[in-house]
């Protein structure tokens, strides 16, 4: 069983920054690509960013490219999402997720390709 626990959310003014963390346990963390998704009230789940198992490749949604940075420290079993220049439209619950297969060379934005999810952390950006 894999457990993913997010932290770091909160309330921030537009233009501000937050860093989210996702701590993983229960599986060889360093073997799996990881992703961040978000869901705003009344909207579908949206892909935000993904990072390869070794950390050498990243992939971003167009809406966050240039503002958000995904990273990971495998020795700490943790993946991060640094969010800068936040906008009110970034308000959502942010969840991390683990790819269902190890050592994948392709990063995916498809939720069905992830099999473990955290409970999420709320990010609220005020205007």
């Amino acid at each position: 069983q894999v457990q993913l626990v997010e932290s770091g959310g909160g309330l921030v003014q537009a233009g501000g920054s937050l860093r989210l963390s996702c701590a993983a346990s229960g599986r060889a963390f360093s073997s799996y690509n990881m992703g961040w998704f978000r869901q705003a009230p009344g909207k579908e789940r949206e892909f935000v960013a993904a990072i390869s198992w070794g950390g050498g490749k990243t992939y971003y949604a167009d809406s966050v490219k240039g503002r958000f940075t995904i990273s990971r420290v495998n020795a700490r079993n943790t993946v991060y999402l640094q969010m800068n220049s936040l906008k009110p439209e970034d308000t959502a619950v942010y969840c991390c997720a683990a790819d269902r297969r190890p050592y994948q060379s392709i990063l995916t934005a498809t939720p069905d390709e992830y099999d473990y999810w955290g409970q999420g952390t709320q990010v609220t950006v005020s205007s």
Side-chain angles (χ1 to χ4, degrees):
Q1 189 74 7
V2 174
Q3 283 195 320
L4 301 173
V5 179
E6 302 93 340
S7 61
L11 173 64
V12 64
Q13 287 189 333
S17 298
L18 282 173
R19 188 176 82 153
L20 306 183
S21 300
C22 170
S25 62
R27 188 164 74 177
F29 174 78
S30 60
S31 303
Y32 293 83
N33 298 342
M34 296 292 294
W36 283 97
F37 290 77
R38 67 187 182 186
Q39 188 164 19
K43 294 189 177 182
E44 292 190 355
R45 180 182 289 167
E46 176 188 19
F47 169 76
V48 176
I51 188 166
S52 60
W53 52 272
K57 291 196 297 185
T58 57
Y59 173 37
Y60 297 94
D62 288 343
S63 58
V64 307
K65 202 174 295 183
R67 300 188 298 122
F68 290 11
T69 303
I70 189 171
S71 62
R72 66 191 297 162
V73 178
N74 285 342
R76 298 177 183 171
N77 285 358
T78 303
V79 62
Y80 303 96
L81 185 68
Q82 177 67 43
M83 305 186 296
N84 299 330
S85 302
L86 283 161
K87 305 175 181 180
E89 51 263 44
D90 294 319
T91 295
V93 174
Y94 285 71
C95 295
C96 64
D99 197 310
R100 60 186 179 88
R101 295 168 297 177
Y103 302 117
Q104 293 301 293
S105 59
I106 296 175
L107 297 174
T108 178
T110 304
D112 286 348
E113 296 298 325
Y114 295 83
D115 62 348
Y116 287 103
W117 295 79
Q119 291 295 313
T121 185
Q122 176 70 46
V123 171
T124 303
V125 185
S126 63
S127 56

